Amino acid sequence: MLKTIAVMTSGGDSPGMNAAIRAVTRTALHQGVKVWGIRGGYHGMLDGEMFEMQSKDVSDIIQRGGTFLGTARCKRFNTPEGRMLGYKNLVDRGIQGLVVIGGDGSLRGASILSQETGIPIVGLPGTIDNDVWGSEYTIGCDTAANTIIDAINKLRDTASAHRRIIVLEVMGRNSGWLAMVTGISGGAEYILVPEEEYDLDEICADMKEQYDKGKRYILVVVAEGAGKGYEVGKAIMEKTGRDTRVSKLGHIQRGGSPSVIDRVNASKLGEHAALALISGLSDIVFGFDRGHVVSINLHDAVNNKKKLNPELIRLSKILA
Ligand code: ADP
């Protein structure tokens, strides 16, 4: 049984991280275990920016986006010397284990730290991209998808009024999950994702045909990894001769009060992470599979690439 643990968020922030921190903290305290919060990701670990938390420290945060502990990208942590310094800071405070909430990169860093020092680490997938291998869900992906859908609904109104082509660029440098689920649920005619090749000439010829048949407007959702929205829009305008407008949501997609799904899932994952870590488990990530919380080997999670569900790709083509 561990007696003192710490929790931190790292990498890109995502809505629901606060709910996960709160669940880790309150579960640990419920078990009679001390829990520290590390501020500003691996930067805070290296600079000793950490404090022992009580239940009230995580009051009034479940409804807030972002992460109250702060997050960061930290180059120093990529070096063995940096990681040793971070480890020493943890040991100096009696911290025996760590919960790291973050994306692919943060979990990779956690895996290396645990291998090098032997400190027990449990990871939680926190990223709006939903791209962590072994889990069908990552903390924040539901809120981000809902934010995008809200934008799509508004864009559809104006697109319809003007018979325009609308191109919406959404986040997803390496993962098309957000573009795919929001494209399907927003009724997009075309969804461009990094996982699938596309032929813009073919798409534009098809668009012209659809307008000739009386289509009022066309919506294209493009993941940033599949092409820059403005470039795609410019090419479509040139090839079709149709009025085309481009929107890029940018960081709006990361923010906002977390959805019910993100709050509940993050709470479940946080509880599992704290209990597993306290009981001495290490090198695992908790995620979801078919609606249930599952543990995934940390090494496997960071060394495999999650594939975009082919069922979603197939469905998107039928419904377009
Ligand atoms: P995310 O966790 O959202 O994917 P990043 O990929 O930027 O975000 O990773 C966040 C931080 O995790 C990095 O700034 C770095 O401190 C740490 N990290 C990422 N990859 C590694 C690695 N290969 N070795 C050690 N630390 C890493």
Side-chain angles (χ1 to χ4, degrees):
M1 277 278 290
L2 270 53
K3 290 282 164 224
T4 307
I5 65 168
V7 58
M8 61 179 278
T9 46
S10 168
D13 63 304
S14 67
M17 281 182 160
N18 280 327
I21 298 166
R22 175 178 176 269
V24 169
T25 305
R26 293 204 167 153
T27 303
L29 294 172
H30 190 252
Q31 295 290 312
V33 169
K34 288 184 182 167
V35 55
W36 287 62
I38 300 174
R39 293 193 196 277
Y42 292 124
H43 266 304
M45 188 192 289
L46 269 58
D47 294 340
E49 285 180 29
M50 37 191 114
F51 63 105
E52 193 182 335
M53 295 197 288
Q54 307 304 331
S55 188
K56 67 173 169 36
D57 289 311
V58 291
S59 293
D60 200 28
I61 63 167
I62 194 165
Q63 76 281 15
R64 288 196 222 147
T67 155
F68 95 105
L69 285 176
T71 183
R73 296 198 157 89
C74 173
K75 283 212 176 109
R76 283 180 296 158
F77 193 76
N78 287 57
T79 66
E81 299 74 35
R83 291 190 291 272
M84 274 320 285
L85 174 61
Y87 173 65
K88 189 177 171 301
N89 283 334
L90 298 177
V91 172
D92 284 350
R93 288 160 181 82
I95 295 165
Q96 301 164 304
L98 187 61
V99 175
V100 176
I101 307 164
D104 223 30
S106 303
L107 298 177
R108 188 176 300 278
S111 172
I112 296 169
L113 180 67
S114 146
Q115 278 165 32
E116 283 177 351
T117 65
I119 189 166
I121 297 187
V122 173
L124 291 182
T127 161
I128 62 168
D129 292 335
N130 199 3
D131 61 350
V132 174
W133 185 88
S135 179
E136 67 195 8
Y137 165 86
T138 58
I139 296 165
C141 72
D142 184 65
T143 306
N146 282 303
T147 301
I148 296 169
I149 276 298
D150 189 40
I152 288 179
N153 291 341
K154 288 168 179 155
L155 288 168
R156 289 187 77 118
D157 292 344
T158 168
S160 169
H162 291 274
R163 295 202 72 196
R164 277 178 177 146
I165 297 170
I166 294 271
V167 176
L168 175 65
E169 183 190 314
V170 302
M171 281 188 173
R173 225 168 282 152
N174 303 305
S175 160
W177 183 86
L178 268 178
M180 190 52 69
V181 296
T182 57
I184 290 172
S185 47
E189 276 71 21
Y190 305 95
I191 305 169
L192 311 183
V193 292
E195 292 90 342
E196 278 257 302
E197 299 224 335
Y198 61 89
D199 181 339
L200 213 50
D201 287 328
E202 222 171 80
I203 288 174
C204 289
D206 189 50
M207 281 177 175
K208 277 193 194 164
E209 217 179 290
Q210 293 203 44
Y211 268 111
D212 290 343
K213 284 188 196 153
K215 188 103 181 156
R216 278 208 64 76
Y217 66 98
I218 285 173
L219 173 68
V220 184
V221 177
V222 50
E224 60 183 330
K228 295 262 165 280
Y230 286 100
E231 286 166 19
V232 171
K234 190 163 168 265
I236 290 175
M237 179 114 110
E238 282 166 9
K239 286 179 205 288
T240 62
R242 283 267 164 192
D243 203 10
T244 306
R245 292 288 186 275
V246 178
S247 282
K248 181 177 172 173
L249 282 183
H251 282 77
I252 285 171
Q253 293 162 90
R254 278 197 196 282
S257 181
S259 67
V260 171
I261 286 178
D262 280 330
R263 293 184 200 194
V264 172
N265 285 357
S267 299
K268 287 183 183 174
L269 292 174
E271 186 205 21
H272 274 82
L275 290 178
L277 185 64
I278 290 164
S279 74
L281 291 175
S282 180
D283 289 277
I284 50 175
V285 176
F286 282 100
F288 278 85
D289 182 25
R290 281 164 278 188
H292 293 283
V293 176
V294 291
S295 73
I296 304 142
N297 180 287
L298 178 59
H299 183 80
D300 291 346
V302 297
N303 286 305
N304 286 293
K305 182 160 168 39
K306 185 173 168 184
K307 289 198 174 74
L308 188 56
N309 185 345
E311 276 299 300
L312 287 178
I313 301 175
R314 191 185 59 78
L315 182 64
S316 74
K317 290 189 173 141
I318 292 171
L319 301 184

